[in-house]
Amino acid sequence: MARSDQRLDGRPRHLLQADRLDPLNHAAHGGPAHSGDERAGKWAVLAIVAIGVVMATLDSSIVNISLPAIAAHFHVPLSGAVAWIVIAYLVVLASLMLTAGRLADMIGRKPIWIAGLAIFTVSSALCGAASSLGMLVAFRALQGIGGAMLMAVSPAMLTQAFPPQERGRALGLNALFVALGVSAGPTLGGLITAHLSWRYIFYVNLPVGILGIVASLLVLTERMRRGRSRFDLPDALLLGGGLAALTGGLTFGQELGWRSPLLLSLIGGAVLLLVLLVLHERRHPAPLIDLSLFQNRVFTSAALSLVLSFFAMFAGQILMPFYLEQLRGFSVQTSGLLITPLPITLALVAPLSGSLADRFGSRWLTVVGLSTACLGLVLTGHLNAQTPVPLVVATLMVTAAGQALFQPPNNSALLGAAPKDKQGVASGLLATGRVVGQSLSVALAGAVFPSLGGAAAGHELEKLRDAGASAAQMAPLEATFEGAFKTTFMVCAAIASVGVAATLVRGRGEQRTGR
């Protein structure tokens, strides 16, 4: 949650925290257990999943805060190729999560989980030992493979381990681990980079990853399954290529220009590949993505509202550091402290939301949650240069509380609407939808805010403030910044309101998991 190390004026976006995991969720159809199913205790499974979640979320925020030190070490500008340290991970992550979920349905979750931990841990060691920026980017892409495996199967592991009436409680507790990783990353990363070296931000994953691998081997009981169905490589290539082109295009949209031939080619190629994927999937006897899942109104509604929620919310996380540092003139450290209540609120509210979803179902919780988050976006958009600091923090807490009320029940509904043998694909769709929503939000923030003069005004405000300019000299720039800031948040609120409508159309088809 620390300051982004780039601007919205054409330099690459480093606040992409697509490797941050959701609070992991729940709810599957009941039924007799298969011989290969997981029989480990539910709390043991939760603890093992938490290890992977903390490692992935911690790695994300640590990397972001340490990018300036990495750029200085390799003698490259912060606005150049160093951005690929973040982007390579993001693109690989987005392109492989659905494939990893499908593999988990075919051969079991345990082998995919352990392989993901192993790849993530080994690639962390390689990142720390990288002797060139190119090697570091390549190893970050390898790390993305491990991250995709972890993110794709972790919701399904909790779904399998916990009975329906307790899974909301489990995902609420899991949200605490998410908040721990996100909140501790900037502080820990700053301390490590200042007193040791940026290389240790990757080495810190080694003991955590080794612990997770050993615990998984000793505790998890699920056996590898063979021969259940055939893996379709052409589908995987179409899907991976389409999602990689889409994510990469949205990420580079601001830098390349939204009308540049390269960007249009990437987006057009993504659409073409994904259309070919759908056509091929409809004729395939064992598709990579079972499109029949979308015939379930609850599943489709939950998936759509998931994407729209991240589309609306992530832009706010991108813009808040600019508001605090450029418009208000706060230091990086103060800005980080002011944003910290957001993950803390998420961690406090999510367990309550998960427990309420167990008792009363998800429909109205998701409506109330996303509506609250929408209100928070509207309130945040009305912040200006004179807004009292407590009110700034309060608006962030309203948005975070809405997110925490929405996400666990919505993900619960999504996973609960999928059959037991499609939980891996459903989990992969959940994680992919989040990353796609975040990428769309990055594109939104990079298009609307600079086009209205907000980015340029922010830069000028910093210069004038450093030069000791008067309030009268800064007033016109403050007005320009505030106008762009407000418009961007109003657009985000409108998107969130569409998400609210998507939650309402799911009707009463969901299964209630409470006693």
Side-chain angles (χ1 to χ4, degrees):
M1 308 301 289
R3 176 195 180 187
S4 169
D5 292 304
Q6 64 113 48
R7 307 297 181 190
L8 289 174
D9 61 350
R11 283 187 274 175
R13 165 57 54 194
H14 299 323
L15 237 171
L16 293 175
Q17 297 200 357
D19 37 348
R20 181 185 308 157
L21 297 182
D22 290 333
L24 303 177
N25 280 292
H26 82 287
H29 298 303
H34 299 284
S35 60
D37 281 352
E38 184 60 62
R39 295 187 298 277
K42 56 189 179 184
W43 299 114
V45 174
L46 176 65
I48 289 172
V49 168
I51 291 173
V53 169
V54 169
M55 183 167 64
T57 54
L58 186 68
D59 182 78
S60 167
S61 48
I62 281 182
V63 169
N64 285 330
I65 201 68
S66 302
L67 284 175
I70 297 173
H73 177 86
F74 290 116
H75 306 290
V76 296
L78 187 59
S79 59
V82 73
W84 277 96
I85 297 172
V86 173
I87 294 168
Y89 185 95
L90 171 71
V91 171
V92 173
L93 194 74
S95 62
L96 292 182
M97 284 187 291
L98 273 168
T99 299
R102 171 61 176 158
L103 286 172
D105 283 338
M106 293 174 59
I107 66 175
R109 298 166 186 85
K110 177 181 175 180
I112 299 298
W113 174 258
I114 293 176
L117 284 172
I119 293 172
F120 199 96
T121 304
V122 171
S123 60
S124 295
L126 294 173
C127 286
S131 59
S132 68
L133 182 60
M135 290 178 63
L136 179 56
V137 170
F139 294 143
R140 276 288 282 172
L142 179 63
Q143 200 174 39
I145 298 175
M149 292 178 170
L150 296 175
M151 293 177 68
V153 302
S154 49
M157 289 175 67
L158 289 182
T159 297
Q160 186 180 43
F162 279 78
Q165 68 271 18
E166 296 180 10
R167 291 182 191 133
R169 182 185 178 191
L171 77 95
L173 291 173
N174 188 70
L176 295 175
F177 299 114
V178 174
L180 174 64
V182 171
S183 302
T187 302
L188 184 59
L191 290 172
I192 290 174
T193 303
H195 297 287
L196 294 172
S197 162
W198 64 265
R199 297 185 184 277
Y200 286 87
I201 67 172
F202 297 107
Y203 290 149
V204 74
N205 290 329
L206 301 187
V208 180
I210 291 171
L211 174 63
I213 293 169
V214 172
S216 299
L217 290 171
L218 294 178
V219 174
L220 300 181
T221 64
E222 183 186 19
R223 297 179 180 178
M224 181 180 290
R225 300 188 290 268
R226 295 182 176 87
R228 294 188 63 181
S229 58
R230 184 173 62 87
F231 181 73
D232 189 59
L233 182 59
D235 275 5
L237 294 175
L238 288 172
L239 176 64
L243 290 176
L246 176 63
T247 307
L250 293 173
T251 301
F252 284 110
Q254 179 191 342
E255 183 180 8
L256 296 173
W258 296 105
R259 297 181 180 178
S260 71
L262 178 56
L263 176 65
L264 295 176
S265 298
L266 283 171
I267 300 299
V271 172
L272 176 61
L273 290 173
L274 293 176
V275 168
L276 290 174
L277 172 68
V278 172
L279 295 175
H280 189 264
E281 292 276 82
R282 296 180 68 175
R283 299 192 302 268
H284 200 278
L288 184 66
I289 306 172
D290 189 347
L291 297 178
S292 66
L293 288 170
F294 292 96
Q295 296 175 4
N296 184 304
R297 186 168 62 176
V298 174
F299 186 92
T300 302
S301 167
L304 178 60
S305 57
L306 170 79
V307 174
L308 289 172
S309 69
F310 280 101
F311 189 4
M313 299 300 160
F314 198 63
Q317 297 180 33
I318 291 171
L319 290 178
M320 280 310 297
F322 297 99
Y323 166 81
L324 293 169
E325 295 168 32
Q326 294 184 338
L327 183 65
R328 302 301 299 268
F330 293 126
S331 67
V332 177
Q333 291 78 10
T334 300
S335 298
L337 288 174
L338 292 176
I339 295 175
T340 299
L342 196 153
I344 293 176
T345 302
L346 180 68
L348 293 175
V349 177
L352 173 64
S353 175
S355 297
L356 290 175
D358 284 341
R359 294 188 60 188
F360 303 112
S362 70
R363 186 189 184 201
W364 292 111
L365 273 173
T366 55
V367 172
V368 172
L370 198 50
S371 298
T372 302
C374 183
L375 173 63
L377 291 172
V378 173
L379 294 174
T380 305
H382 284 82
L383 299 178
N384 57 45
Q386 289 76 40
T387 304
V389 169
L391 186 56
V392 174
V393 174
T395 61
L396 294 178
M397 293 177 67
V398 170
T399 306
Q403 288 179 281
L405 283 172
F406 167 79
Q407 289 180 20
N410 189 73
N411 292 357
S412 167
L414 187 149
L415 291 172
K420 187 167 185 173
D421 62 344
K422 296 293 188 298
Q423 286 293 298
V425 170
S427 295
L429 281 167
L430 188 158
T432 303
R434 179 186 51 75
V435 173
V436 170
Q438 287 180 326
S439 300
L440 290 169
S441 199
V442 169
L444 172 68
V448 178
F449 186 70
S451 67
L452 297 175
H459 283 306
E460 290 302 317
L461 282 170
E462 286 185 319
K463 293 178 182 178
L464 289 177
R465 191 176 291 112
D466 292 340
S470 66
Q473 289 176 299
M474 293 194 294
L477 291 171
E478 289 177 347
T480 300
F481 186 103
E482 291 167 3
F485 186 80
K486 180 179 179 179
T487 299
T488 305
F489 271 84
M490 293 305 103
V491 172
C492 291
I495 295 170
S497 67
V498 177
V500 173
T503 64
L504 287 170
V505 301
R506 72 181 55 172
R508 302 181 181 273
E510 63 175 311
Q511 287 189 330
R512 183 170 297 181
T513 60
R515 289 180 174 87

